[in-house]
Amino acid sequence: MKNGLTDIPKYNLKNFRHIHRQISSGSAFGHNVPDASKIIEGFEIYSSDGMVRSKGPLKSEFYRLTITITGSLNMRIGLDQYTHRPGTLAFTFPNQTFSTSDFSDDASGYYVFFNPEFLSDIIPSIKIADEFPFYDNSGTPVFQIAIEELEIMLALVMRINDELQHQKTGRDKAIKMYVYLLLLEAKRSYERQSIGNAESALQDSYKLISRFRELVTQHYLNKRLVDDYAKMLGVSSNHLNKTVKKSTGKTASEVIKEMILQEAKSLLLYTNNSVSEIAYRLDFPDPASFNRFFKTITNETPLVYRSRHN
C-alpha cells in the first residue's frame, strides 16, 4: 500500500456477509438467517437462497467449498475461468483473488466457509493443502463429481444443518468432523478421477505454465515484464511466450495484464480510492495510462465500470 491508499480488502467471516448475501436472508438453512445461537467460531454454511448473484474480484481470509446442484455460473480463481454445472465442486483458499458471475435462473447449491484454524483439532492448518490437493496452488480447484458422490456430500451438508438447528451436546466438534468428511469425500473423488495426475501434468510445458501462473499471482504488482518471469523460471522470454500461447491462447504478457485488471476491478468496486489513486496504487505512470490500459481490455473507462457495477 502506498501513501495510505486502500488496498483490496481481505474479507474475514465477520465482515463478509454483506458481500455475498442479499438483505433478505432467504430460507432458514444454515447461517442464511442471522442467529446468535448458531454462531460457531471460524465456520459458516449457507444455501444459495438469498445469495448475491455476482461478486468480486476480491480476496478472503478463509477457505471456501461450493457445491453446485442445479444450473450454472461462472467463477474466476486467480487467472483461471471455470463454469459450474450440476455436480460441480469448487474450492478457494485464503488470499486468492476470485469472482463469480452469470448465475443462471435455476442455479442452486450450498457453500461452506471456514478459517484455517477451524479444523486444527483434526488437522493442523499448515497441513490442509498437503491433505487436500484442491487447496494447493498446483491443484485443480474446480471439478465434477459423480451423482453417488454428490448424494454423500449433500447428506453431510444436511447433517451439519441439523447440528446448527438443534443445540445438541458436542455440536461444534460434530460439525468439524462433518466438514472434514466433506473434504475427504471430495478428495476421494479427486483421486478416483486421477485429477492432477494426468500424463499432461508430467510434461515440462505443463509444469512451466503452472509455475508461471503461480509467480504472476504473487508478483504482478511489481513485475510487469515477461522477461522478469522468464528469468525466475530459467527460460527465455520467447520460449515462455510460445509455451503459454500454445496452451492458453494468450501471450504471457496478456496473462500478466489479466491479473492487473482483476486488481484494478477490485479496487474500483471495493474501495473508495479515486481512479488517480488506483492508477498510483497499480504503479501506472499517470491516470491517463491506467485509463488506456483499462479501456483497451474492457471497452469502458474505470469510472464507467465503477458506476455500472455500483
Side-chain angles (χ1 to χ4, degrees):
M1 185 166 60
K2 297 180 179 180
N3 289 353
L5 299 182
T6 305
D7 261 324
I8 295 177
K10 293 180 183 178
Y11 291 97
N12 57 46
L13 292 181
K14 294 180 180 178
N15 66 6
F16 190 59
R17 185 180 179 88
H18 72 286
I19 298 295
H20 73 99
R21 301 297 300 177
Q22 299 172 6
I23 296 176
S24 56
S25 300
S27 69
F29 177 89
H31 292 99
N32 285 3
V33 178
D35 184 341
S37 70
K38 297 180 184 179
I39 294 176
I40 295 178
E41 187 66 30
F43 170 79
E44 293 177 357
I45 186 170
Y46 298 89
S47 75
S48 56
D49 183 25
M51 180 176 61
V52 171
R53 312 302 275 180
S54 177
K55 55 186 171 293
L58 50 80
K59 296 180 181 180
S60 60
E61 296 179 350
F62 46 83
Y63 288 92
R64 177 184 286 94
L65 157 61
T66 301
I67 305 173
T68 300
I69 301 174
T70 61
S72 63
L73 63 110
N74 289 331
M75 172 180 273
R76 177 179 284 276
I77 303 174
L79 290 163
D80 298 309
Q81 182 82 29
Y82 303 94
T83 297
H84 288 220
R85 304 188 304 276
T88 296
L89 300 184
F91 303 85
T92 66
F93 53 81
N95 297 320
Q96 280 187 304
T97 301
F98 78 96
S99 60
T100 57
S101 62
D102 301 321
F103 281 73
S104 65
D105 291 338
D106 61 339
S108 68
Y110 300 97
Y111 54 108
V112 176
F113 302 149
F114 63 94
N115 286 341
E117 301 78 21
F118 179 68
L119 296 176
S120 59
D121 292 347
I122 304 173
I123 177 174
S125 59
I126 196 172
K127 295 290 187 180
I128 289 177
D130 294 332
E131 179 82 8
F132 303 111
F134 36 78
Y135 282 134
D136 186 78
N137 259 319
S138 61
T140 301
V142 180
F143 56 95
Q144 294 289 119
I145 59 174
I147 293 176
E148 316 84 71
E149 295 166 334
L150 178 63
E151 289 175 349
I152 292 172
M153 295 191 71
L154 291 180
L156 291 168
V157 167
M158 293 304 113
R159 294 300 297 268
I160 292 172
N161 185 55
D162 183 66
E163 292 289 341
L164 281 175
Q165 303 299 336
H166 305 93
Q167 299 295 318
K168 297 179 180 179
T169 301
R171 178 190 68 170
D172 291 17
K173 183 174 287 188
I175 288 176
K176 291 178 182 181
M177 295 173 69
Y178 287 135
V179 171
Y180 180 82
L181 288 174
L182 272 175
L183 299 177
L184 182 59
E185 288 298 329
K187 179 181 179 179
R188 289 172 174 173
S189 181
Y190 193 95
E191 291 178 343
R192 176 187 65 78
Q193 300 179 68
S194 297
I195 298 172
N197 293 325
E199 184 178 348
S200 61
L202 301 177
Q203 298 174 358
D204 289 341
S205 60
Y206 180 95
K207 292 179 180 178
L208 178 65
I209 293 168
S210 178
R211 182 60 179 149
F212 169 64
R213 286 174 174 269
E214 184 179 347
L215 288 172
V216 170
T217 60
Q218 293 172 358
H219 301 290
Y220 61 96
L221 285 179
N222 51 31
K223 294 186 185 297
R224 304 288 179 87
L225 302 178
V226 175
D227 190 52
D228 293 332
Y229 295 96
K231 288 177 180 176
M232 285 190 283
L233 293 165
V235 299
S236 70
S237 297
N238 187 48
H239 177 68
L240 179 59
N241 256 321
K242 283 184 176 180
T243 305
V244 173
K245 179 73 172 179
K246 184 177 180 179
S247 175
T248 68
K250 299 175 181 178
T251 66
S253 180
E254 287 171 336
V255 171
I256 297 167
K257 288 177 181 178
E258 277 187 14
M259 281 304 302
I260 299 169
L261 180 66
Q262 286 193 67
E263 183 91 0
K265 285 181 175 180
S266 191
L267 289 168
L268 287 164
L269 294 179
Y270 299 107
T271 76
N272 293 319
N273 295 339
S274 68
V275 171
S276 295
E277 288 171 333
I278 293 172
Y280 181 73
R281 167 70 180 84
L282 297 178
D283 210 24
F284 283 87
D286 51 61
S289 299
F290 172 57
N291 271 277
R292 284 194 298 272
F293 165 84
F294 196 94
K295 189 171 183 180
T296 297
I297 302 176
T298 66
N299 292 318
E300 60 185 0
T301 66
L303 278 179
V304 170
Y305 176 84
R306 170 177 271 174
S307 176
R308 184 165 63 83
H309 286 275
N310 287 341

